[in-house]
Amino acid sequence: MEPPKIWREKRQRYLGIGVKCLDCDYKAFPLTSFCPSCGSGNVQEYKLAEKGRIIQFTQVNQTSNDMMANVPYAIGIIELEDGIKVTGQIVDIDYSLIEIGMPVRMVLRVLSKDGTEGLIKYGFKFIPVD
Amino acid sequence: MSKVGIVSYGSYIPKYRIKTEEIAKVWEEDSKEIVNQLQVNSKSVPGPDEDVITMSVESARNAINRWGGNVKDIGAIYVGSESHPYAVKPTATFVAAALDAEESLTAADLEFACKAGTAGMQMCFGLAKSDMIEYGLAIGADSSQARPRDPLEYTAGAGSAAFLIGKKRVIAELEGTYSLTTDMPDFWRREGAIYPSHGNRFTGSPAYFKHVIEASKKLMEQLGSRPSDYKYVTFHQPNTKFPLSAARMLGFSKEQIDLSLVCKEIGNAYSASSMIGLANILNYSSPGDRIFVTSYGSGAGSDAFSFLVTDMIEEVKSYPLNVDYYVNRKKYIDYGVYVRFKGVLR
Ligand SMILES: [Zn+2]
């Protein structure tokens, strides 16, 4: 895990920062320097809504070594309250209890660990709103 | 001149719990006797993707959301813990970034066993009172480790609490603070060691009780206050028995301390222990209530505080993600899952 990549992505991973196009109002995640809809470079930071609903999910049983501590885990597509869809892990719930339409909210968790001496990568995941 | 005090507060407790009887079963010990002795039914366990950084951020976000002010006005962030994920790379920098409070602030990690969080509160009170900062955020967070089969395994829990300190919209004015510090070999962990060691029975009278009792007495003496002047009190909670005994020895009633005893369900949250107790007390406080707090950290020291709750408490009390919410949000796990979550298997 390269320090520059972790540093560059911290705002989007810790805070859920994407972009909003000032020309066509399109909102997107993750951070880009061009609008994915109209191609304009006239974009500014936009903070995603922190709550949403699960629209699809599946279980991950195999992954890279730096994430194996969490396996098996659930990953889902979440439609946030502002209409943007993001992918994220769904935690603090048994896989058998996850349902489509379930309300969730963002929390900060460990995404991966580079062994016992490398960097720890943090970012948002989702937990059920209960 | 406006007084310095607590402006907002937030807490966080992981969802997972292991029951005292589940741990006792593994070691074939008498769980009834242990529960009777410690008065701890279960302890909190962080999920496999939780640590002091993630828990600090959650409690800090709860304090900020409860307050609703501008994070850029925070001039200091201190995180007290004995289980920072990095030996070198401050937890406080992650908190600043995750709150979007970068870049104009000072920050540092503190360590003083279970009282590093209240030491951070004192630093924030000093900086805010002297107008060196507008607001300071003091966090106590721990994900404590206990060697399997060590008596500590029954109580070593996890959690976090964050206090925003300043002079504007104060919900609890600081009436005074007093600290007692001595060099005491009651509990320690050497650099690079995974598990802490302790002096068994030595941890009681000369350590916990001496510091908590003397610091509390001294502060009340300085303020000219008595236990009966306070609506609520909280002490550090290594188990439930110690704070109850300390309260009795000082002349506080069971009613005054009862609300703070989250230890019964979450165990010892170390740096967050007395701070989660205070956060729960604030949830139930009314204007005019006085609150007494004394932390304890091995090594050893106690920080005592006296607070007066103001009318502003009513503005922030209704925030839903409070101590009750986190205490009730729970899932019991067995010893096998506990061992996996704690990373005991390497
Ligand atoms: Zn556009």
Side-chain angles (χ1 to χ4, degrees), chain B residues 245-257:
Chain B
S245 302
R248 201 169 41 241
M249 289 156 85
L250 282 161
F252 287 99
S253 68
K254 195 167 178 307
E255 289 66 42
Q256 284 168 295
I257 195 167

PDB file of all heavy atoms in Angstrom, chain B residues 245-257:
ATOM      1  N   SER B 245     -17.376   1.301  45.974  1.00  0.00           N
ATOM      2  CA  SER B 245     -16.660   1.416  47.251  1.00  0.00           C
ATOM      3  C   SER B 245     -16.118   2.828  47.441  1.00  0.00           C
ATOM      4  O   SER B 245     -16.211   3.393  48.528  1.00  0.00           O
ATOM      5  CB  SER B 245     -15.488   0.433  47.316  1.00  0.00           C
ATOM      6  OG  SER B 245     -15.947  -0.876  47.152  1.00  0.00           O
ATOM      7  N   ALA B 246     -15.550   3.402  46.354  1.00  0.00           N
ATOM      8  CA  ALA B 246     -15.003   4.766  46.442  1.00  0.00           C
ATOM      9  C   ALA B 246     -16.103   5.753  46.808  1.00  0.00           C
ATOM     10  O   ALA B 246     -15.909   6.647  47.638  1.00  0.00           O
ATOM     11  CB  ALA B 246     -14.348   5.154  45.123  1.00  0.00           C
ATOM     12  N   ALA B 247     -17.285   5.571  46.194  1.00  0.00           N
ATOM     13  CA  ALA B 247     -18.415   6.462  46.485  1.00  0.00           C
ATOM     14  C   ALA B 247     -18.783   6.363  47.964  1.00  0.00           C
ATOM     15  O   ALA B 247     -18.947   7.387  48.643  1.00  0.00           O
ATOM     16  CB  ALA B 247     -19.620   6.085  45.615  1.00  0.00           C
ATOM     17  N   ARG B 248     -18.878   5.134  48.470  1.00  0.00           N
ATOM     18  CA  ARG B 248     -19.244   4.918  49.872  1.00  0.00           C
ATOM     19  C   ARG B 248     -18.204   5.545  50.801  1.00  0.00           C
ATOM     20  O   ARG B 248     -18.536   6.227  51.762  1.00  0.00           O
ATOM     21  CB  ARG B 248     -19.369   3.415  50.134  1.00  0.00           C
ATOM     22  CG  ARG B 248     -20.218   3.063  51.351  1.00  0.00           C
ATOM     23  CD  ARG B 248     -20.526   1.564  51.410  1.00  0.00           C
ATOM     24  NE  ARG B 248     -19.371   0.750  51.059  1.00  0.00           N
ATOM     25  CZ  ARG B 248     -19.330  -0.104  50.032  1.00  0.00           C
ATOM     26  NH1 ARG B 248     -20.383  -0.260  49.253  1.00  0.00           N
ATOM     27  NH2 ARG B 248     -18.238  -0.813  49.808  1.00  0.00           N
ATOM     28  N   MET B 249     -16.915   5.349  50.467  1.00  0.00           N
ATOM     29  CA  MET B 249     -15.847   5.882  51.325  1.00  0.00           C
ATOM     30  C   MET B 249     -15.866   7.413  51.384  1.00  0.00           C
ATOM     31  O   MET B 249     -15.508   8.004  52.401  1.00  0.00           O
ATOM     32  CB  MET B 249     -14.479   5.398  50.807  1.00  0.00           C
ATOM     33  CG  MET B 249     -14.251   3.905  51.052  1.00  0.00           C
ATOM     34  SD  MET B 249     -13.049   3.160  49.919  1.00  0.00           S
ATOM     35  CE  MET B 249     -11.527   3.511  50.713  1.00  0.00           C
ATOM     36  N   LEU B 250     -16.306   8.044  50.289  1.00  0.00           N
ATOM     37  CA  LEU B 250     -16.320   9.513  50.243  1.00  0.00           C
ATOM     38  C   LEU B 250     -17.623  10.108  50.773  1.00  0.00           C
ATOM     39  O   LEU B 250     -17.709  11.317  51.012  1.00  0.00           O
ATOM     40  CB  LEU B 250     -16.107   9.990  48.799  1.00  0.00           C
ATOM     41  CG  LEU B 250     -14.678   9.947  48.276  1.00  0.00           C
ATOM     42  CD1 LEU B 250     -14.659   9.981  46.757  1.00  0.00           C
ATOM     43  CD2 LEU B 250     -13.858  11.105  48.842  1.00  0.00           C
ATOM     44  N   GLY B 251     -18.654   9.277  50.908  1.00  0.00           N
ATOM     45  CA  GLY B 251     -19.936   9.769  51.388  1.00  0.00           C
ATOM     46  C   GLY B 251     -20.941  10.082  50.291  1.00  0.00           C
ATOM     47  O   GLY B 251     -21.898  10.810  50.520  1.00  0.00           O
ATOM     48  N   PHE B 252     -20.725   9.532  49.086  1.00  0.00           N
ATOM     49  CA  PHE B 252     -21.729   9.643  48.018  1.00  0.00           C
ATOM     50  C   PHE B 252     -22.666   8.436  48.135  1.00  0.00           C
ATOM     51  O   PHE B 252     -22.247   7.342  48.549  1.00  0.00           O
ATOM     52  CB  PHE B 252     -21.071   9.606  46.636  1.00  0.00           C
ATOM     53  CG  PHE B 252     -20.329  10.859  46.263  1.00  0.00           C
ATOM     54  CD1 PHE B 252     -18.944  10.940  46.394  1.00  0.00           C
ATOM     55  CD2 PHE B 252     -21.007  11.972  45.762  1.00  0.00           C
ATOM     56  CE1 PHE B 252     -18.247  12.090  46.048  1.00  0.00           C
ATOM     57  CE2 PHE B 252     -20.310  13.129  45.401  1.00  0.00           C
ATOM     58  CZ  PHE B 252     -18.937  13.182  45.554  1.00  0.00           C
ATOM     59  N   SER B 253     -23.922   8.629  47.743  1.00  0.00           N
ATOM     60  CA  SER B 253     -24.896   7.538  47.840  1.00  0.00           C
ATOM     61  C   SER B 253     -24.896   6.704  46.568  1.00  0.00           C
ATOM     62  O   SER B 253     -24.356   7.102  45.534  1.00  0.00           O
ATOM     63  CB  SER B 253     -26.296   8.118  48.052  1.00  0.00           C
ATOM     64  OG  SER B 253     -26.698   8.789  46.870  1.00  0.00           O
ATOM     65  N   LYS B 254     -25.548   5.538  46.633  1.00  0.00           N
ATOM     66  CA  LYS B 254     -25.682   4.662  45.481  1.00  0.00           C
ATOM     67  C   LYS B 254     -26.483   5.376  44.375  1.00  0.00           C
ATOM     68  O   LYS B 254     -26.203   5.204  43.198  1.00  0.00           O
ATOM     69  CB  LYS B 254     -26.379   3.369  45.902  1.00  0.00           C
ATOM     70  CG  LYS B 254     -26.234   2.277  44.881  1.00  0.00           C
ATOM     71  CD  LYS B 254     -26.643   0.918  45.410  1.00  0.00           C
ATOM     72  CE  LYS B 254     -26.517  -0.144  44.326  1.00  0.00           C
ATOM     73  NZ  LYS B 254     -27.218   0.175  43.073  1.00  0.00           N
ATOM     74  N   GLU B 255     -27.477   6.187  44.787  1.00  0.00           N
ATOM     75  CA  GLU B 255     -28.310   6.918  43.819  1.00  0.00           C
ATOM     76  C   GLU B 255     -27.464   7.911  43.023  1.00  0.00           C
ATOM     77  O   GLU B 255     -27.692   8.122  41.838  1.00  0.00           O
ATOM     78  CB  GLU B 255     -29.444   7.688  44.523  1.00  0.00           C
ATOM     79  CG  GLU B 255     -30.564   6.833  45.095  1.00  0.00           C
ATOM     80  CD  GLU B 255     -30.124   5.942  46.257  1.00  0.00           C
ATOM     81  OE1 GLU B 255     -29.359   6.435  47.118  1.00  0.00           O
ATOM     82  OE2 GLU B 255     -30.516   4.760  46.284  1.00  0.00           O
ATOM     83  N   GLN B 256     -26.485   8.524  43.671  1.00  0.00           N
ATOM     84  CA  GLN B 256     -25.650   9.518  42.981  1.00  0.00           C
ATOM     85  C   GLN B 256     -24.731   8.888  41.927  1.00  0.00           C
ATOM     86  O   GLN B 256     -24.447   9.499  40.909  1.00  0.00           O
ATOM     87  CB  GLN B 256     -24.794  10.292  43.997  1.00  0.00           C
ATOM     88  CG  GLN B 256     -25.575  11.337  44.775  1.00  0.00           C
ATOM     89  CD  GLN B 256     -24.759  11.860  45.950  1.00  0.00           C
ATOM     90  OE1 GLN B 256     -24.440  11.121  46.887  1.00  0.00           O
ATOM     91  NE2 GLN B 256     -24.413  13.132  45.911  1.00  0.00           N
ATOM     92  N   ILE B 257     -24.306   7.660  42.168  1.00  0.00           N
ATOM     93  CA  ILE B 257     -23.326   7.041  41.254  1.00  0.00           C
ATOM     94  C   ILE B 257     -23.955   6.078  40.261  1.00  0.00           C
ATOM     95  O   ILE B 257     -23.390   5.785  39.202  1.00  0.00           O
ATOM     96  CB  ILE B 257     -22.188   6.333  42.039  1.00  0.00           C
ATOM     97  CG1 ILE B 257     -21.012   6.032  41.090  1.00  0.00           C
ATOM     98  CG2 ILE B 257     -22.672   5.062  42.739  1.00  0.00           C
ATOM     99  CD1 ILE B 257     -19.736   5.621  41.754  1.00  0.00           C
TER     100      ILE B 257
END
